[in-house]
């Protein structure tokens, strides 16, 4: 059986009930924990005493910053795939090529694997 997704941050009971058949190796929140998280966010979004200029918190540690460190997933790379799916034919293919080039270039700059090169083996590890 093949799986394209893995569930992160939810415990086995939640995954088995709501995401049946999905792989989950690390566990995490129970359904009660998820409910508490939703209620906290709801109270912040809709306070009992109205706020003149309500603002939600950013909600995470990992986010793109204009002058921050390089990441493969950034506004450009997130925006391009849906755009190439919406534009069929030649235009969609051009957008896809632009996306591929961005990812390839960023892999070279931002990821350890982009700094590695394949070394050709002189001999095979198995017998013919």
């Amino acid at each position: 059986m093949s799986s394209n997704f893995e569930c992160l941050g939810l415990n086995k009971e939640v995954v088995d009930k709501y995401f049946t058949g999905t792989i989950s190796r690390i566990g995490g929140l129970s359904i009660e924990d998820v409910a508490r998280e939703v209620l906290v966010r709801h109270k912040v979004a809709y306070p009992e005493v109205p706020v003149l200029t309500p603002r939600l918190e950013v909600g995470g540690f990992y986010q793109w910053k204009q002058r921050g460190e390089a990441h493969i997933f950034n506004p450009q790379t997130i925006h391009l795939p849906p755009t190439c799916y919406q534009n069929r034919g030649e235009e969609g293919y051009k957008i896809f090529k632009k996306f591929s080039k961005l990812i390839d270039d960023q892999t070279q700059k931002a990821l350890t694997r982009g700094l590695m090169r394949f070394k050709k083996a002189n001999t095979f590890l198995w017998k013919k």
Side-chain angles (χ1 to χ4, degrees):
M1 180 167 132
S2 173
S3 179
N4 292 329
F5 303 100
E6 180 171 348
C7 196
L8 302 174
L10 298 174
N11 72 14
K12 182 174 177 12
E13 290 77 23
V14 174
V15 173
D16 289 348
K17 184 170 183 176
Y18 299 102
F19 304 97
T20 307
T22 304
I23 296 169
S24 179
R25 293 179 246 194
I26 63 170
L29 300 175
S30 68
I31 198 71
E32 292 81 14
D33 297 329
V34 173
R36 266 193 302 278
E37 292 280 331
V38 169
L39 287 174
V40 166
R41 283 174 174 69
H42 186 273
K43 286 179 182 178
V44 171
Y46 301 100
E48 290 180 25
V49 178
V51 179
L52 292 176
T53 55
R55 294 185 75 167
L56 291 176
E57 290 182 33
V58 174
F61 299 108
Y62 307 105
Q63 56 187 305
W64 181 83
K65 292 184 177 122
Q66 187 171 3
R67 293 189 187 109
E69 59 192 28
H71 292 276
I72 273 221
F73 296 111
N74 59 57
Q76 261 191 315
T77 58
I78 297 296
H79 169 75
L80 283 174
T83 307
C84 78
Y85 305 140
Q86 292 162 358
N87 293 280
R88 310 239 172 198
E90 193 69 30
E91 187 60 29
Y93 184 69
K94 284 180 189 175
I95 296 168
F96 173 75
K97 293 301 282 178
K98 182 178 178 182
F99 169 74
S100 296
K101 182 173 176 10
L102 274 172
I103 294 295
D104 290 344
D105 289 350
Q106 289 180 40
T107 300
Q108 298 299 317
K109 297 174 191 167
L111 300 177
T112 305
R113 71 175 179 231
L115 301 173
M116 295 182 197
R117 300 285 174 255
F118 284 103
K119 183 177 180 183
K120 219 172 195 175
N122 293 331
T123 58
F124 289 102
L125 298 177
W126 62 89
K127 294 180 182 180
K128 289 186 177 183

